[in-house]
Amino acid sequence: MRPVAAPETQPPRAELKAAVELYLALHRAPELSGAEHSTAALLTDRLTALGLTVHPGLAGTPSFLAELRNGPGPTVLLRTELDALPVTEATGLPYASAVPGVMHACGHDLHAAAATGAAARLAATRADWQGRLLLLGQSAEETLTGARALADDGLYERFGRPDAVLAQHAAPLPAGTLAHATGGPLMAGSRTLEAVLHGRGGHAATPHLAADPLLMAASAVVRLHTLTARETAPAEGAVLTVGTLHAGTRANVIPDRATLSLGLRAFTEAALDRLQEAVRRVLAAESEAAAAPGPPELTVTARSPVLTPDPDLTASLRAVHAEHLGAGRVLAAVPSPATEDLTHLTRLADGTRIPLAYWMLGTTPAATWRAATAEGRTVPANHASDFAPDLRQALPAGITALTAAARHLFADGPHAVGAFPPSPEAAP
Ligand SMILES: [Zn+2]
Ligand SMILES: [Zn+2]
């Protein structure tokens, strides 16, 4: 076992300055899911300059893997997302998005700058640790498709399986704090469903000759919302939202189809399975009740498993973070109905699980937090147009949290992160 370095609470000034500049550049130039080409280029240029070897364009997407081989030892993967959202920024910040209608409203720019800052710190201190550092820049998290694409494309067959995966996510908590799961799930699992209700079109004057899919859909939307109120236990934390409903083209025509898209979230796969089956049942029953000419179609277009961090790894990293940041800045996370697709890269198809540490990174400025608490208001949260992380607090905390976690795993060796055999060497 190698000695653990003295706690480091902040990256050195020059490295922090570089991380801030990277963040500002990313924040000004957000890109939507699957189109993060400039984002990936900005990050890979910096990682290459730090001495990492970059493998770009994974799975035919902007996703990349940067690698730093530093002798024998565990492989630790840091993951950041790359994508932004179709949101118009309303923060009024001098470095606000320069791309109309697109904004880093989920904080993925903060994750990318923090992960790159951690890579810089680890590269600068490489004489003090051994192992293989991987930094994964993942495209298309917001659409819950990027991680799955990488898994299906054989990311680990090509580059070896990591001994642990580390990630963090910006959250509306006091800036500079971290919040870890307390043994159970941290984020819900989700399914995205697309439904088509088939009707029989006709003239608006003769509805008795038609089967109106618009009415079927309207009735189904009301009925679907009773599923979480009446068919799932409150403790399952199930959420169902119909996000789109499209039918018809003009007032005097009864259309022949209606389409719905809906999202399901819950903290167990069993609850998601039950909800999905209940959605199918309600749509089929509404079609039947309306004498539709055919049954509805229901397709799962995206899914993300429940995110449960490894309890042992989380417990050890909570202690590491308390040592580096102070115990008062390490909080207990409340499970969130938000979702993440990273589990596609930690719960593998062959049934094995790669230990995952995942924590929330507080981003709310202290003054905003105090005022909201005093007035009983909520603070601006992820996906909102006024979401504005407190860079001075959150970025150094995010860099230190990732760096300290990785150093802990490198220092303690593979036994610290599970009973996996050494990772195979990456293909050239
Ligand atoms: Zn998001
Ligand atoms: Zn996000």
Side-chain angles (χ1 to χ4, degrees), residues 36-133:
E36 311 95 329
H37 299 285
S38 302
T39 304
L42 207 56
L43 293 168
T44 54
D45 283 354
R46 170 90 178 121
L47 291 162
T48 303
L50 291 169
L52 280 77
T53 304
V54 171
H55 308 275
L58 303 178
T61 73
S63 291
F64 65 85
L65 191 72
E67 180 178 24
L68 180 60
R69 292 184 182 214
N70 195 31
T75 296
V76 177
L77 185 148
L78 317 183
R79 179 276 210 153
T80 177
E81 316 88 322
L82 304 176
D83 50 344
L85 286 160
V87 171
T88 298
E89 179 158 355
T91 60
L93 290 167
Y95 53 88
S97 169
V99 183
V102 184
M103 174 190 177
H104 266 298
C106 205
H108 296 177
D109 48 353
L110 180 65
H111 309 170
T116 306
R121 194 81 283 270
L122 290 162
T125 59
R126 71 183 79 186
D128 301 335
W129 58 273
Q130 286 195 329
R132 187 163 69 117
L133 172 70

Side-chain angles (χ1 to χ4, degrees), residues 85 106 108 141-142 169 382-383:
L85 286 160
C106 205
H108 296 177
E141 188 282 329
E142 292 291 354
H169 205 295
N382 310 59
H383 290 207

Side-chain angles (χ1 to χ4, degrees), residues 197-234:
L197 293 165
H198 294 286
R200 192 166 46 251
H203 199 291
T206 54
H208 59 291
L209 301 177
D212 187 356
L214 199 151
L215 185 57
M216 275 180 235
S219 183
V221 167
V222 175
R223 181 86 198 183
L224 286 168
H225 284 94
T226 68
L227 295 177
T228 44
R230 286 296 175 269
E231 294 194 30
T232 58

Side-chain angles (χ1 to χ4, degrees), residues 189-294:
S190 74
R191 311 260 167 96
T192 304
L193 309 177
E194 301 281 341
V196 181
L197 293 165
H198 294 286
R200 192 166 46 251
H203 199 291
T206 54
H208 59 291
L209 301 177
D212 187 356
L214 199 151
L215 185 57
M216 275 180 235
S219 183
V221 167
V222 175
R223 181 86 198 183
L224 286 168
H225 284 94
T226 68
L227 295 177
T228 44
R230 286 296 175 269
E231 294 194 30
T232 58
E236 289 179 317
V239 179
L240 180 153
T241 294
V242 178
T244 69
L245 194 175
H246 295 290
T249 52
R250 54 189 299 177
N252 65 350
V253 177
I254 294 173
D256 60 6
R257 58 196 269 141
T259 58
L260 308 172
S261 64
L262 53 151
L264 312 179
R265 287 151 193 253
F267 287 102
T268 65
E269 296 297 330
L272 287 168
D273 288 344
R274 247 187 299 115
L275 259 181
Q276 185 180 325
E277 171 52 24
V279 168
R280 189 207 59 74
R281 192 190 73 227
V282 166
L283 295 175
E286 291 293 350
S287 293
E288 171 94 20

